[in-house]
Amino acid sequence: MKEKMYLSTRGNQQPLNFYEAILQGIASDGGLLVPDFKMPQKDLNALKDLNYVDLATEIISVFTPDDAKEDIRGLCQKAYGSGLFPKNVVPVKKAGDVYVAELFQGPTAAFKDMALSLLPHFMTFSLKQKGEDREVMILAATSGDTGKAALEGFKDVEGTCIKVFYPIDGVSPIQKQQMITQTGKNVDVIGIRGNFDDAQTAVKKAFNSQELKALCDEHHVFLSSANSINIGRLIPQIVYYFYSYFTLVKEGEVELGEAVNFTIPSGNFGNCLAGYIAKEMGLPIQKFIIASNKNNILTDFFKTGEYDANREFYKTNAPAMDILVSSNLERLVYFLCQDASKVKKYMDQLNETGKYIVDEDVMTKVKENFKAGWLNENQVLETIGECYKETGYLLDTHTAVGYGVYKQYQKESQDQTKTILLSTASPYKFPESVYQAITDQTLDEYSAIDALNETTQVDIPYPLQGMKDRKVLHTKVIDKDSIIDFIGEQVKGL
């Protein structure tokens, strides 16, 4: 059987196998790693009754060596079957005529847990397969949720250490408290004076720095990523598209084979890209409805084909979506055009001018698959209030962006296709905004948690209980231009 290999979206990376792709994290030419094989069509009937661990095994094994399937099952059992998630892993609830897939039931109350509970197991398994004895330094930039989920996933994992960079004024108070109180002997949390894009750009540059590479070689260290630029972050996310669809089949809400829409609050675009791969594997998805906040660069791209980052950056009440450089869009453009030289040209243009425009062939495929919209901050609050009043379902600010954009789309298109909304975080991660939305009252974040619970009787997730009293363990803050130098110093210290 031919080995499954991974190539760069920009065409100048030697092919890597699965284990190498997981460990390297990003392509050596600055691109992102993508499968160099055609997606097989999965038999929906054979998958529809599987539990989450077995379904994850079947989906993820498409991307791994053929002889690794039972090993993958063991890793999935550790991630999803060991009590970190509820038994059904992703509950699907109803909010009016919208099906809400709750991806926030894991150890940090955010959807990033779905992949970051498995990625450390991928990493340690890959290290073993490659006979690698160097120390792995995991780098992650976060706009809020990736950081805590990565820290929790890699905490005390042998042979690894993790450095998480977050914008000091660009995450919610609860997200920040979750990170700076993180325990673990191999974890480090660093605030930066800058925004998420600054942190993500610096992390990408670190992977391509020859000086840093030489330093890592000298100190027997190699760098890898926990962001969705790592293919190992992306692959586990494909699973919950199949799982939420099959939940509706089991409950008699859709017929097997009936197409549905997915609405996805989107920032770095990894969540949606996983859905696109699920569609390529045969999951019957009609449209992806991409929802943005005021940083609406993705909305403009999906409507016009122009990606223009030359715009004001806004800090909003949905901070995990405060992003202007959506990394995984590069993978989508590659999938749609299948031409690495074209992708490289676009990315060079983005780097040099801050924008690029895709050609008509790519845009035709975009229009076939995607719709997009955005909400401003007031609309986010109105949407939370209206949804709670009309359906009794409590949305967080990011999921509210998705719900509101879907309602706009539904009204404009009259599309009655059943729709699954991916809910990306617990409302208790953004309690001030959510409480304000349903009561018109403002409270500090910790008072808002208790008041929100008292008002709605929605349970406070275990990971967010007692947040206020946790000891702060991480206080480092650096300038955005110092990130690569900081990483170099950390490498020398290992």
Side-chain angles (χ1 to χ4, degrees), residues 79-280:
Y80 305 118
S82 60
L84 293 175
F85 294 87
K87 191 177 178 185
N88 62 344
V89 185
V90 180
V92 181
K93 309 275 180 68
K94 243 189 144 177
D97 60 353
V98 181
Y99 300 94
V100 184
E102 294 186 342
L103 303 178
F104 55 79
Q105 300 289 343
T108 77
F111 85 101
K112 305 294 174 73
D113 291 327
M114 299 305 303
L116 282 163
S117 294
L118 184 57
L119 181 61
H121 298 299
F122 273 169
M123 198 77 76
T124 51
F125 181 61
S126 297
L127 287 169
K128 186 178 170 188
Q129 294 300 309
K130 299 302 295 179
E132 181 62 72
D133 63 353
R134 287 180 289 173
E135 180 89 2
V136 185
M137 182 181 286
I138 307 294
L139 304 178
T142 186
S143 56
D145 289 332
T146 288
K148 174 61 179 177
L151 289 162
E152 196 63 34
F154 281 95
K155 175 180 74 177
D156 296 328
V157 171
E158 197 175 335
T160 71
C161 65
I162 179 165
K163 314 290 175 185
V164 169
F165 301 91
Y166 74 96
I168 52 172
D169 297 321
V171 299
S172 80
I174 298 297
Q175 288 173 317
K176 181 176 179 179
Q177 183 74 354
Q178 279 190 293
M179 287 189 283
I180 63 177
T181 59
Q182 176 68 49
T183 58
K185 63 181 184 294
N186 64 338
V187 306
D188 204 2
V189 181
I190 306 98
I192 66 155
R193 300 180 188 96
N195 60 40
F196 168 76
D197 290 326
D198 297 323
Q200 178 169 253
T201 299
V203 166
K204 283 183 175 178
K205 281 182 180 171
F207 286 112
N208 293 312
S209 165
Q210 291 306 308
E211 189 180 340
L212 198 53
K213 185 179 186 303
L215 194 63
C216 287
D217 290 344
E218 182 186 338
H219 290 270
H220 215 55
V221 172
F222 77 89
L223 304 179
S224 193
S225 172
N227 280 82
S228 55
I229 54 178
N230 190 319
I231 195 75
R233 261 285 303 278
L234 194 64
I235 291 168
Q237 295 182 269
I238 301 165
V239 180
Y240 51 68
Y241 281 88
F242 281 90
Y243 187 81
S244 55
Y245 178 81
F246 292 141
T247 298
L248 297 194
V249 171
K250 286 177 196 169
E251 292 176 355
E253 299 286 345
V254 300
E255 296 287 328
L256 189 67
E258 179 184 344
V260 298
N261 292 334
F262 275 88
T263 297
I264 305 135
S266 206
N268 219 15
F269 200 68
N271 205 5
C272 186
L273 188 71
Y276 182 79
I277 296 171
K279 183 174 182 178
E280 291 290 287

Side-chain angles (χ1 to χ4, degrees), residues 303-365:
K303 288 186 174 178
T304 68
E306 180 177 59
Y307 191 89
D308 187 355
N310 300 311
R311 60 179 71 206
E312 189 172 348
F313 176 87
Y314 298 105
K315 293 176 183 175
T316 75
N317 54 10
M321 299 158 73
D322 292 348
I323 294 172
L324 292 182
V325 181
S326 301
S327 284
N328 278 286
L329 194 64
E330 179 173 342
R331 281 189 174 114
L332 178 69
V333 173
Y334 175 85
F335 286 142
L336 296 180
C337 74
Q338 294 292 312
D339 184 343
S341 63
K342 196 177 279 188
V343 175
K344 184 178 186 307
K345 184 184 80 173
Y346 292 148
M347 295 306 127
D348 286 345
Q349 288 172 354
L350 181 64
N351 192 41
E352 290 159 15
T353 69
K355 67 179 181 180
Y356 65 90
I357 303 172
V358 296
D359 62 28
E360 282 185 29
D361 289 348
V362 172
M363 200 57 202
T364 299
K365 291 174 185 171

Side-chain angles (χ1 to χ4, degrees), residues 57 86 90 241 246 302 356 368 386 392 420 448 482:
T57 303
V90 180
Y241 281 88
F246 292 141
F302 284 110
Y356 65 90
E368 283 170 9
E386 287 167 9
I420 298 171
S482 304

